[in-house]
Amino acid sequence: MRPPPPRRDLMDSSGNSGGSTRDNYEEARHEMVETQIRKRNVTSNRVLKCLEHVPRHEFVPAEFRGRAYEDAPLPIGEGQTISQPYIVAAMTAALGLQGNESVLEIGTGFGYQAAVLGCLAREVFSVEFRAALATEAAERLSRLGYTNVHVHCGDGTLGLPEFAPYDAILVAAAAPAVPAPLVAQLADGGRMVVPVGGVENQDLHLIERSHDTFRTTVLESCRFVPLLGVHGWKESSQT
């Protein structure tokens, strides 16, 4: 077994582990966590601490950098968005990560959610449908030091069976139904969070596996861009 990568829980606000470097957004991150996340009953100290350190402004287009810590999703191009900070926190907290998990993320986007998962888990495999976004996210995550996050381009509804099973799966796009390949790749005792519903509005589902039994809990309403692929939506369904 490979040794786990360096823990990122104590990384500095520039996205690098160790050191005491600060950036101009540190206060904005703290305010984001206190007003948008903690007050909405996300109580995991590991998740809250991670969100105070991951530099969200590095994961938005330059023209939106000044809005990176707003209580809202932001466009990142190609019809995609970076999720609202609260929903990133809520989905991450629902996975209950302790630090030694192998995690699958579907929908890399600019890489922010992957960075958060990388802060909390041993290893993260992320799949992005759009090649340009996958390439940019991989370069960005590497530059910021997230060496335990691996970005792949492909149909996320098929998962990545070559690295399965996964202790946790996070789907950052809306599925019309839970993709069967993802369910199959969830480890015994694992958890998956996935938005399920129509193109416009969905409910966030938490799926917990115990042997061959799957328990589903509906967490809250949400709104994500459509999940594209064989077990998701076709691109024409977005319009």
Side-chain angles (χ1 to χ4, degrees):
M1 179 181 294
R2 288 176 295 172
R7 297 299 311 135
R8 299 193 57 84
D9 300 79
L10 299 180
M11 65 187 174
D12 66 41
S13 55
S14 66
N16 298 308
S17 58
S20 59
T21 303
R22 297 188 176 187
D23 62 45
N24 296 330
Y25 296 90
E26 186 174 17
E27 184 176 345
R29 279 194 298 277
H30 177 75
E31 183 177 355
M32 175 191 76
V33 168
E34 292 302 315
T35 62
Q36 300 176 34
I37 298 171
R38 193 188 299 273
K39 288 186 177 179
R40 288 175 172 149
N41 296 319
V42 176
T43 59
S44 167
N45 285 330
R46 296 189 77 239
V47 173
L48 295 173
K49 185 175 182 180
C50 175
L51 291 173
E52 281 204 339
H53 287 282
V54 175
R56 184 177 167 88
H57 60 277
E58 296 279 5
F59 296 93
V60 300
E63 62 268 29
F64 294 114
R65 183 161 286 198
R67 298 179 56 194
Y69 298 98
E70 288 185 5
D71 186 17
L74 294 171
I76 59 173
E78 299 200 32
Q80 305 302 294
T81 62
I82 178 175
S83 296
Q84 173 192 22
Y86 164 72
I87 201 68
V88 170
M91 293 178 75
T92 304
L95 294 177
L97 300 174
Q98 298 301 309
N100 198 40
E101 296 87 358
S102 175
V103 180
L104 175 65
E105 181 204 23
I106 307 302
T108 316
F110 261 35
Y112 178 67
Q113 176 72 79
V116 170
L117 294 171
C119 174
L120 297 167
R122 174 176 57 85
E123 198 159 27
V124 178
F125 299 90
S126 187
V127 186
E128 171 54 49
F129 188 83
R130 292 168 171 79
L133 287 178
T135 299
E136 291 176 15
E139 292 174 350
R140 183 176 298 107
L141 288 160
S142 176
R143 171 173 57 83
L144 294 172
Y146 294 92
T147 57
N148 62 334
V149 179
H150 315 286
V151 179
H152 299 256
C153 181
D155 182 347
T157 70
L158 302 177
L160 286 174
E162 59 268 40
F163 302 111
Y166 301 99
D167 304 299
I169 299 176
L170 186 150
V171 184
V178 180
L182 300 185
V183 173
Q185 291 169 38
L186 189 63
D188 185 21
R191 291 182 159 205
M192 173 165 56
V193 288
V194 52
V196 179
V199 173
E200 293 297 326
N201 295 285
Q202 308 91 36
D203 290 317
L204 191 62
H205 288 200
L206 169 65
I207 299 169
E208 300 171 273
R209 180 171 189 171
S210 177
H211 303 294
D212 292 326
T213 299
F214 298 85
R215 183 178 70 176
T216 298
T217 304
V218 177
L219 301 179
E220 59 185 285
S221 298
C222 57
R223 184 174 182 180
F224 280 81
V225 298
L227 175 66
L228 302 181
V230 172
H231 298 273
W233 301 95
K234 304 299 183 285
E235 289 201 67
S236 59
S237 301
Q238 298 182 82
T239 58

